[in-house]
């Protein structure tokens, strides 16, 4: 049975980790009310960071609900995700999406991220190296 926890090593913890992704995102996927940026890492597992501003999501209860659902979605699919650092950004209107729809949106985003990562990795397998 795969590891199902969400320890610190699976999180982006400091500004440098976030900056690493924002400077040059290798992959980008969109969902309703959110966007995920991802950049390859050398750790062998995905890491997650969240950006949910008060400007886009006014109420703390809505910000916390969004973060909780995103973390749970990644926790359940961490063994299926590529080795990337992911930053999920909340956009205006995400608080209006109910939990089931949000969870389905996230599932679709992780499937697209995995597919895009495999497509981006195919040229790498033929000989060129990526700097990470």
């Amino acid at each position: 049975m795969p590891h199902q926890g969400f320890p610190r090593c699976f999180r982006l913890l400091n500004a440098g980790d976030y900056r690493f992704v924002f400077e040059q995102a290798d992959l980008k996927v969109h969902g309703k009310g959110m966007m995920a940026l991802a950049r390859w890492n050398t750790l062998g597992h995905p890491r997650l960071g969240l950006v949910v501003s008060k400007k886009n999501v006014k109420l703390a209860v809505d910000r916390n609900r969004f973060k909780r659902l995103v973390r749970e979605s990644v926790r359940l699919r961490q063994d299926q995700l590529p080795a990337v650092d992911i930053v999920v950004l909340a956009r205006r209107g995400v608080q209006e999406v109910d939990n089931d729809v949000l969870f389905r949106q996230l599932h679709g985003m992780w499937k697209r991220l995995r597919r895009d990562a495999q497509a981006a990795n195919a040229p790498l397998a033929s000989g060129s190296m990526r700097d990470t």
Side-chain angles (χ1 to χ4, degrees):
M1 180 172 185
H3 175 70
Q4 287 295 310
F6 199 65
R8 288 178 61 88
C9 65
F10 283 83
R11 303 177 199 164
L12 299 180
L13 297 174
N14 56 47
D17 293 340
Y18 283 86
R19 194 176 314 112
F20 175 74
V21 177
F22 284 126
E23 283 176 354
Q24 183 182 347
D26 296 318
L27 304 165
K28 184 190 298 188
V29 290
H30 298 272
K32 183 179 175 80
M34 64 191 128
M35 176 176 66
L37 303 172
R39 186 167 179 190
W40 298 105
N41 69 35
T42 58
L43 301 172
H45 59 79
R47 293 192 306 171
L48 175 69
L50 297 161
V51 177
V52 187
S53 70
K54 283 185 184 179
K55 181 179 178 181
N56 290 338
V57 184
K58 302 275 188 246
L59 299 178
V61 66
D62 292 329
R63 290 192 301 275
N64 292 336
R65 177 183 69 95
F66 176 77
K67 292 188 284 188
R68 188 175 58 249
L69 288 170
V70 173
R71 282 189 203 110
E72 180 67 5
S73 176
V74 170
R75 186 186 72 80
L76 292 174
R77 291 174 181 82
Q78 65 192 3
D79 58 330
Q80 302 165 4
L81 293 171
V84 292
D85 289 345
I86 304 166
V87 175
V88 177
L89 296 102
R91 293 185 167 163
R92 285 194 180 121
V94 74
Q95 72 275 4
E96 297 164 6
V97 179
D98 69 7
N99 290 359
D100 291 334
V101 173
L102 188 60
F103 217 68
R104 282 196 308 271
Q105 287 282 324
L106 288 163
H107 179 66
M109 285 174 59
W110 306 143
K111 283 174 59 173
R112 286 192 305 276
L113 181 68
R114 187 174 54 237
R115 183 192 66 217
D116 293 351
Q118 289 172 346
N121 239 353
L124 294 177
S126 64
S128 64
M129 291 295 293
R130 184 178 295 260
D131 58 338
T132 40

